[in-house]
């Protein structure tokens, strides 16, 4: 009976997760519409939250770092971007967030920028050896090669650490990085701290679809 109960509980959890995935729970109406009706995209699209995953140890930390990007629709062409926006406007179904590499203009390469880059690279080598540092967030994301570079861009400069105390110590020394903890606490580039209780695994969005595998 105990074994049957465990099997039923596991099946119920799978059903629950499947419903969350199918219903795109947690995403805007605009995003849902574009994902469910992807014919507007001619060169391929994907929802960032669904194309990457991580081990259970790092999943909450990665979700915290990607919180503002989990609903991004990843695109590969400007024409698809225009078609997606046009569909939303035509049907008046709200907005969606898109991410298209290369859309952001190149940053100036003046002397000050070069100096900042030199300092950043120098600190990259130093920070990974600090107590409590587990690595850079992009190292803990698994994704198809087609989409992996999106995560490298979005997670650039995000360091995963063991806890908030470590993050608050390091940000005073290495202020050019952002910090995400195993409990999902986060310090962004402006020093804003988002912290509190640890989210439940079922409440996370990142990698949710891989939990069904």
């Amino acid at each position: 009976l105990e074994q049957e109960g465990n099997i039923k509980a596991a099946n119920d959890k799978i059903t629950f997760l499947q419903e969350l995935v199918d219903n795109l729970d947690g995403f805007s109406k605009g995003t849902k519409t574009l994902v469910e009706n992807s014919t507007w995209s001619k060169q391929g699209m994907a929802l960032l939250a669904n194309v990457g995953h991580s081990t259970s140890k790092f999943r909450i930390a990665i979700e915290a770092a990607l919180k503002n990007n989990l609903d991004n629709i990843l695109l590969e062409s400007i024409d698809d971007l225009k078609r997606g926006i046009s569909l939303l406007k035509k049907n008046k179904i709200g907005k969606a967030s898109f991410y298209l590499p290369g859309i952001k203009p190149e940053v100036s390469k003046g002397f000050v920028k070069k100096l900042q880059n030199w300092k950043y690279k120098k600190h990259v080598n130093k920070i990974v050896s600090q107590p409590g540092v587990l690595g850079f967030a992009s190292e803990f994301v698994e994704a198809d090669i087609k989409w992996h570079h999106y995560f490298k861009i979005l997670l650039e400069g995000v360091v995963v650490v063991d806890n908030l105390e470590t993050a608050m110590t390091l940000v005073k020394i290495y202020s050019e990085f952002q910090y995400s903890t195993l409990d999902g606490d986060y310090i962004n580039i402006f020093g804003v701290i988002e912290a509190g209780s640890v989210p439940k695994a079922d409440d996370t969005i990142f990698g949710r679809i891989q939990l069904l595998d």
Side-chain angles (χ1 to χ4, degrees), residues 39-91:
T39 54
W40 56 273
S41 175
K42 306 302 180 183
Q43 294 192 33
M45 55 78 68
L47 190 61
L48 184 136
N50 290 346
V51 297
H53 62 101
S54 184
T55 63
S56 57
K57 178 178 180 178
F58 296 104
R59 196 155 70 94
I60 290 175
I62 301 302
E63 167 131 353
L66 289 171
K67 182 177 179 180
N68 295 325
N69 301 102
L70 289 171
D71 64 346
N72 285 182
I73 294 175
L74 308 181
L75 299 175
E76 296 187 274
S77 82
I78 192 72
D79 289 333
D80 277 354
L81 174 63
K82 292 177 179 178
R83 277 190 288 267
I85 294 173
S86 177
L87 190 153
L88 293 175
K89 288 185 174 181
K90 181 179 179 180
N91 295 283

Side-chain angles (χ1 to χ4, degrees), residues 11-59:
N11 288 334
D12 288 345
K13 183 173 183 178
I14 291 173
T15 300
F16 173 69
L17 289 172
Q18 187 66 62
E19 289 177 352
L20 292 179
V21 170
D22 292 343
N23 296 330
L24 293 171
D25 188 71
F27 298 103
S28 70
K29 183 179 179 181
T31 299
K32 289 180 181 180
T33 300
L34 293 177
V35 173
E36 291 170 347
N37 176 28
S38 60
T39 54
W40 56 273
S41 175
K42 306 302 180 183
Q43 294 192 33
M45 55 78 68
L47 190 61
L48 184 136
N50 290 346
V51 297
H53 62 101
S54 184
T55 63
S56 57
K57 178 178 180 178
F58 296 104
R59 196 155 70 94

Side-chain angles (χ1 to χ4, degrees), residues 145-157:
I145 191 170
K146 179 179 181 179
W147 305 115
H148 197 270
H149 66 286
Y150 288 82
F151 291 101
K152 291 189 71 174
I153 294 170
L154 292 171
L155 292 172
E156 183 179 9

Side-chain angles (χ1 to χ4, degrees), residues 102-109:
I103 200 73
K104 185 177 179 180
E106 188 175 354
V107 179
S108 171
K109 294 184 178 180

